[in-house]
Amino acid sequence: METVYSSAAAEARWRARWEELAVGLPSEHGGQPYTIALPPPNITGELHSGHAVSGSIQDTLVRYQRMRGRTVEWCPGTDHAALATNSVIERQLRAEGTSREEIGRDAFDQRVNEWYVRFTGRIYDQMKGLGFTCDWSRARFTMDEPYVAAIREVFKRLYDEGLIYRGPRIVNWCPHCRSAISDEEIAWQEHSDLLYRISYPAGDKGAVEVATVRPETMLGDTAVAVAPGDERYAHLVGVEVKLPITGRLVPVIADSAVDMGFGTGALKVTPAHSLADYEIGERHQLPLIQVVSTEGRLDVPNLPQFHGLTVEEGREKVVAELMRLGAISGQDEYQHSVAHCDRCGTVIEPLVSEQWWVRMTELARPAVEAVERGEVHFHPSRYADVYLAWMGNLRDWCISRQIWLGHAVPVSTCSNGHRFAWVQAPERCPECGAVELHADPDVLDTWFSSALWPFAIFGWPADTPDMERFYPTSTLVTAREIIHLWVARMVMLGYHFTGKSPFADVVINSTILAADGTRMSKSKGNGVEPLAMVERYGADAVRAWAAAVGTATQDVRFDEEKLGSYQRFANKLWNVTRFLVMRLGDGEQIPEQPLVSQAQLLAEDQWIQDRIAACVASVTRSLDGFRTHEAMERLYDTIWHLFCDWYVELAKPRLSGQGESRDAAAHTLVSGFHTLLCLLHPFMPFITEECAQRLPATGKTLDWAQWPAVQEAEETGSAVARAVDGLTDFVQTLRAAVQQAGIERGGRPFLQLSATAAGLEQEDCWRLLLLLAPVTRLDTEEDGAEGRPGQKTVPVAAGGFQGVLWLPVSDQAQRERNSRLLKEVTARLERVTSQLDSAAFVSRARPEVVERARQQRDELASQRAELEASLAVTADE
């Protein structure tokens, strides 16, 4: 074996090997299907850290299920991401000094297709670089012909059922993209604007004063709303007030949406340019007066002094005119969030537009019941509440966009005005036979086409073998931001068109933030490119990090040091494999080791077997519950600390001998390490394959190995295992005491045992202690007390063991050292105590994190007390 592990060489070797073995293809002779439809990444560039986390968790799950004997189908694919890709292409055209209109539709489409070909291959290469074992033979794209046909079928059925309609409603409009966009495609930014107070005369009733940051939209006001019961305005409800500039009369109405504590408590109502105002307008049947065009300019031909101005220019002019009329009574600085298009950064203009809509109420009902009945489970479970809350406040879904790229709305209108939906492009009107047809100019929202993903990828609407075998899928791993944008809509359409939920479990992975806690963004330059991290630390380190943070909490700050720690973990695995190969094999391979009986095992062998069995149970339980962070944490601790740091050190001397003890140690080392590699394989597949191939009877790949069986046993283990656990605690206490005494390396002070943990014979205790602790055995006080002036006894106890150490009396150097340690321990104790005193930490952190903090506090308090006692003793001397 090479001295140093090369992750790059191992990754290239095993990617080729898995492809050769067709690991990603579902077995024809496997067990119950386990299916994941990979959330298709947008073809707008390269994968980001969120894709790495989500995809690594998915690959961990599918490898785990393969080892459990299930027939695994992990279907990959990509999304055309119409609005996002359209924005990228148009940005490129602008940089070249041209536009889509100038180059024409055919050239634009060609450019888009070239982009798709280029980045689809790059995205798949990145996935393979991370070790993803998808079924590449079934890779799908949302613009593939079969997928397009499925989209049209869904649209036509919903249209024929009356669940899709066209009509004017308020939308988020991007004047730059010239398209409606969804709420989820909005980026909110903080603005500092002026809040103007404008007076609307009410005749002999006086006047009502409204507050607004958008005075230009008062040209389209159709009411003033006040809160019901607001005594300041009760006498004005039902009265008409006069708008400055236009002179129109509008009513004062009472509506519960008004916050009487905001501004003046009176709200100017512009239903055509505010979602909240639109809903007030619907309740009170107010007219719609649109004063801003789709180009983002004032559209008021009857007021030529404002007509055609940009919104910003119009605001200045309107304010100036209101000032001239004496209608502005004051203005204040006002901080508020403003909606921007997250693709181009333009300020969103709410306006009423003729669009295609989906009626949601009927579709939502079975999707709500599915979660309430437990047919769809969220992990963590709190996200079910997020899902249900959104489903309880649904509005009709705008599914049309006014861009070139995307799925054309499959609707035509004939020369006689008959409108109809279709699946195959029609030649004539089905109602009157007219051949002059006009296609709808809009394209569909990308999320509409994506909502079909779990069943459309398997051939729906045809009753295909893949639909029969792999649908419904098993698990969805995704981000919390798209629970309502995508997850809910998949559940709705899944039930409506297949009668089944598209998946049983929804795993919400953590959001990865930049190191400073802000959201990662290309524009900010604080994103993390996964393959750059793979080149630096290896794919296994990236995957282990993804598992460790991906299900741990809601938001996680990126910490590159953690990647380094998992790279060191991979090196640790390589080094222990190399040790075993050198001691038990020929330098490259380990032969079969002699079988041993349980009776031949020593206490430490029984202990590590017990601890590995507990690890099997814990990791299996965590993976079944989609808690990859728990599994990764348990594996790291068991492999690095229990197996490598403790058991390998205990077994080393026995490997130099012969006979039953050597055979028992060799057998336990090899079989135990193989079990641990199997457990770790779904998380870190490259290094585990490399190591396992050096062990006997591994097979062609660990993906085809059998998952270790869970043994019915107590988590605390046998009496022997508990005793060895206690002994390791005792050893750490002894090491700390010897170190604090300032004894140089190699020094072995006397130890007398007064109590040992149940489960270990006295001789076993001493055998293990003398291997692990820097002490010399002392059976009676008389044996060690004579002839050792200048020494003192120090009681030591931990893990059910008690004893006395004979240590040199502390000198000045030792006192200074203890003083320094006391300061360090006190500072750490204060930090942990402050953390535990924080109600926010205790309530929000995971229970096990809080418990670890409490244990750390208690340990530090104990260390401080010992150091203070030691300093007090030396002061007296």
Side-chain angles (χ1 to χ4, degrees):
M1 282 181 68
E2 295 292 333
T3 304
V4 178
Y5 173 61
S6 170
S7 59
E11 288 161 19
R13 184 161 49 249
W14 280 101
R15 283 197 301 269
R17 182 65 169 152
W18 293 328
E19 189 169 344
E20 175 191 339
L21 295 173
V23 166
L25 293 179
S27 170
E28 295 300 324
H29 309 290
Q32 179 185 1
Y34 181 83
T35 307
I36 293 182
L38 183 140
N42 293 344
I43 310 185
T44 52
E46 300 179 342
L47 299 183
H48 53 64
S49 59
H51 293 122
V53 169
S54 172
S56 295
I57 291 172
Q58 291 172 72
D59 193 65
T60 296
L61 294 174
V62 299
R63 287 182 188 267
Y64 166 61
Q65 295 295 346
R66 279 194 202 104
M67 297 175 76
R68 298 294 297 268
R70 296 183 67 173
T71 298
V72 170
E73 169 57 33
W74 186 19
C75 185
T78 49
D79 194 298
H80 65 287
L83 188 61
T85 306
N86 193 89
S87 296
V88 170
I89 301 298
E90 291 203 12
R91 191 159 54 244
Q92 291 179 348
L93 293 173
R94 284 196 302 276
E96 297 168 13
T98 186
S99 67
R100 67 180 185 182
E101 289 80 11
E102 287 186 24
I103 67 172
R105 189 64 179 258
D106 290 342
F108 183 84
D109 290 345
Q110 180 180 348
R111 187 143 183 167
V112 168
N113 290 333
E114 290 171 355
W115 175 273
Y116 284 155
V117 170
R118 174 187 172 196
F119 279 99
T120 296
R122 184 179 297 184
I123 287 170
Y124 285 165
D125 286 345
Q126 289 177 302
M127 291 179 179
K128 292 175 182 178
L130 284 162
F132 295 178
T133 48
C134 301
D135 178 1
W136 303 109
S137 71
R138 286 182 170 84
R140 299 290 186 258
F141 176 40
T142 52
M143 295 293 277
D144 288 341
E145 286 188 15
Y147 202 94
V148 172
I151 292 166
R152 292 174 178 174
E153 182 71 29
V154 165
F155 186 98
K156 185 177 187 308
R157 291 192 192 183
L158 292 174
Y159 180 84
D160 292 344
E161 293 170 25
L163 294 176
I164 285 182
Y165 67 96
R166 186 169 176 82
R169 295 180 67 86
I170 194 144
V171 297
N172 302 307
W173 184 266
C174 176
H176 180 269
C177 296
R178 303 285 179 86
S179 177
I181 67 171
S182 69
D183 290 345
E184 294 75 18
E185 291 162 325
I186 285 174
W188 292 93
Q189 297 180 19
E190 285 298 307
H191 280 220
S192 179
D193 288 314
L194 290 175
L195 183 68
Y196 296 95
R197 296 192 297 280
I198 307 173
S199 181
Y200 291 3
D204 59 4
K205 297 286 187 179
V208 61
E209 194 176 74
V210 299
T212 180
V213 293
R214 298 206 59 189
E216 73 280 3
T217 62
M218 59 86 60
L219 302 176
D221 284 1
T222 55
V224 172
V226 298
D230 190 336
E231 295 180 358
R232 294 172 295 174
Y233 302 112
H235 66 290
L236 291 175
V237 175
V239 172
E240 288 187 324
V241 297
K242 189 175 185 178
L243 297 182
I245 300 179
T246 67
R248 279 190 299 107
L249 296 175
V250 300
V252 177
I253 60 175
D255 193 277
S256 58
V258 178
D259 177 4
M260 69 173 67
F262 174 76
T264 65
L267 176 73
K268 60 183 286 300
V269 181
T270 320
H273 295 289
S274 161
L275 175 58
D277 292 6
Y278 181 85
E279 292 176 343
I280 292 174
E282 282 196 320
R283 288 194 288 272
H284 296 271
Q285 298 181 325
L286 299 176
L288 296 169
I289 300 177
Q290 189 157 316
V291 296
V292 180
S293 72
T294 55
E295 289 79 25
R297 294 180 176 272
L298 294 190
D299 185 14
V300 285
N302 294 331
L303 297 168
Q305 68 270 39
F306 307 124
H307 185 64
L309 298 177
T310 65
V311 168
E312 292 77 14
E313 294 167 343
R315 184 173 305 160
E316 290 182 12
K317 286 287 186 74
V318 168
V319 167
E321 180 62 13
L322 290 171
M323 289 283 196
R324 189 186 68 81
L325 296 172
I328 292 183
S329 57
Q331 60 190 45
D332 301 292
E333 285 286 339
Y334 179 58
Q335 295 285 333
H336 64 134
S337 296
V338 176
H340 290 246
C341 175
D342 71 348
R343 300 302 175 188
C344 68
T346 304
V347 173
I348 292 301
E349 187 61 55
L351 52 80
V352 174
S353 176
E354 188 89 6
Q355 300 286 341
W356 288 97
W357 304 85
V358 178
R359 302 184 199 277
M360 302 296 281
T361 304
E362 182 178 330
L363 293 173
R365 192 174 302 111
V368 169
E369 293 171 353
V371 172
E372 291 176 339
R373 288 195 304 266
E375 292 177 13
V376 177
H377 297 272
F378 280 84
H379 308 272
S381 59
R382 66 178 180 274
Y383 287 110
D385 296 332
V386 175
Y387 171 97
L388 292 172
W390 184 77
M391 295 290 270
N393 294 280
L394 283 178
R395 293 192 295 266
D396 286 357
W397 174 17
C398 177
I399 59 168
S400 49
R401 300 290 183 266
Q402 291 68 48
I403 56 177
W404 278 12
L405 198 161
H407 297 284
V409 171
V411 170
S412 294
T413 304
C414 77
S415 54
N416 293 319
H418 300 130
R419 179 186 285 168
F420 58 94
W422 42 265
V423 175
Q424 297 295 329
E427 296 182 355
R428 61 183 68 250
C429 175
E431 188 168 343
C432 67
V435 295
E436 184 182 340
L437 303 175
H438 301 282
D440 192 280
D442 291 349
V443 298
L444 291 168
D445 175 18
T446 297
W447 294 107
F448 181 82
S449 56
S450 298
L452 287 58
W453 185 250
F455 56 88
I457 59 175
F458 295 124
W460 185 94
D463 188 16
T464 65
D466 279 1
M467 273 295 289
E468 177 67 26
R469 191 179 186 195
F470 300 127
Y471 185 85
T473 69
S474 307
T475 306
L476 172 71
V477 181
T478 191
R480 69 176 187 271
E481 304 94 79
I482 55 176
I483 289 175
H484 48 293
L485 182 66
W486 190 43
V487 177
R489 289 164 179 172
M490 283 192 288
V491 177
M492 284 188 271
L493 294 189
Y495 271 104
H496 193 76
F497 289 102
T498 72
K500 302 173 183 175
S501 172
F503 30 70
D505 292 285
V506 180
V507 180
I508 303 300
N509 59 255
S510 305
T511 298
I512 307 301
L513 304 177
D516 62 1
T518 60
R519 290 187 73 87
M520 289 187 178
S521 163
K522 285 185 179 179
S523 62
K524 294 179 181 177
N526 62 355
V528 174
E529 206 287 287
L531 284 195
M533 295 297 104
V534 169
E535 290 177 9
R536 193 173 305 165
Y537 299 103
D540 284 324
V542 175
R543 292 171 58 105
W545 163 79
V549 304
T551 60
T553 184
Q554 184 166 297
D555 293 323
V556 178
R557 295 189 183 200
F558 178 71
D559 181 0
E560 196 167 335
E561 171 55 29
K562 290 192 178 296
L563 290 171
S565 71
Y566 288 114
Q567 182 187 47
R568 293 190 289 275
F569 185 44
N571 291 336
K572 185 81 168 180
L573 293 166
W574 182 258
N575 290 337
V576 75
T577 304
R578 191 168 180 274
F579 164 76
L580 294 177
V581 166
M582 295 300 180
R583 296 295 295 269
L584 302 176
D586 58 6
E588 288 294 333
Q589 194 75 28
I590 300 174
E592 286 282 356
Q593 297 300 302
L595 292 175
V596 296
S597 66
Q598 194 70 17
Q600 293 173 279
L601 300 179
L602 300 188
E604 60 266 37
D605 305 327
Q606 297 175 50
W607 166 74
I608 197 63
Q609 284 189 349
D610 193 290
R611 287 297 160 246
I612 291 173
C615 185
V616 170
S618 175
V619 171
T620 302
R621 192 163 54 244
S622 294
L623 285 177
D624 285 343
F626 306 101
R627 299 182 300 276
T628 60
H629 64 289
E630 290 183 1
M632 192 65 231
E633 185 177 327
R634 183 65 177 256
L635 282 165
Y636 186 96
D637 181 66
T638 301
I639 294 172
W640 190 304
H641 300 300
L642 302 187
F643 187 81
C644 296
D645 287 353
W646 290 104
Y647 183 70
V648 170
E649 293 305 311
L650 286 168
K652 272 182 184 178
R654 295 163 60 192
L655 298 181
S656 301
Q658 298 291 328
E660 287 187 356
S661 176
R662 187 264 181 201
D663 291 346
H667 171 80
T668 304
L669 281 165
V670 173
S671 62
F673 192 46
H674 186 271
T675 298
L676 291 171
L677 290 175
C678 286
L679 293 177
L680 185 62
H681 178 65
F683 303 87
M684 302 177 72
F686 296 106
I687 183 64
T688 52
E689 292 276 33
E690 283 288 293
C691 295
Q693 289 303 311
R694 267 76 178 183
L695 305 183
T698 291
K700 294 180 178 180
T701 170
L702 285 178
D703 267 71
W704 294 346
Q706 187 173 5
W707 184 258
V710 175
Q711 300 174 14
E712 294 297 328
E714 292 183 23
E715 176 72 16
T716 54
S718 64
V720 171
R722 291 195 297 273
V724 176
D725 278 340
L727 184 134
T728 61
D729 291 341
F730 188 55
V731 167
Q732 289 175 312
T733 300
L734 291 172
R735 289 173 176 173
V738 170
Q739 183 182 29
Q740 285 182 14
I743 297 175
E744 295 182 0
R745 184 180 293 273
R748 301 179 71 88
F750 284 94
L751 168 71
Q752 181 183 12
L753 284 177
S754 57
T756 60
L760 273 182
E761 299 292 334
Q762 182 85 358
E763 289 307 308
D764 274 335
C765 291
W766 275 116
R767 178 175 60 83
L768 298 177
L769 281 172
L770 296 177
L771 280 172
L772 296 172
V775 296
T776 300
R777 181 172 180 173
L778 179 65
D779 286 321
T780 66
E781 185 173 337
E782 289 72 22
D783 292 338
E786 290 182 13
R788 277 201 305 278
Q791 291 197 345
K792 65 174 182 178
T793 58
V794 176
V796 284
F801 292 79
Q802 294 179 15
V804 176
L805 270 175
W806 267 261
L807 298 174
V809 174
S810 298
D811 55 15
Q812 182 59 29
Q814 177 61 24
R815 178 174 176 79
E816 290 174 358
R817 183 175 179 278
N818 283 348
S819 296
R820 186 178 68 254
L821 284 173
L822 179 61
K823 289 180 182 179
E824 294 174 0
V825 169
T826 300
R828 290 171 58 197
L829 178 60
E830 288 173 351
R831 285 197 298 271
V832 174
T833 302
S834 175
Q835 189 179 42
L836 287 168
D837 287 342
S838 167
F841 170 76
V842 175
S843 62
R844 294 176 186 173
R846 290 181 289 118
E848 58 269 28
V849 173
V850 176
E851 183 56 32
R852 277 200 300 273
R854 287 174 176 150
Q855 291 175 0
Q856 186 181 22
R857 178 193 59 192
D858 295 344
E859 290 168 3
L860 289 168
S862 176
Q863 290 177 31
R864 184 174 70 174
E866 291 175 5
L867 287 166
E868 288 173 338
S870 175
L871 287 167
V873 169
T874 56
D876 292 342
E877 295 170 353

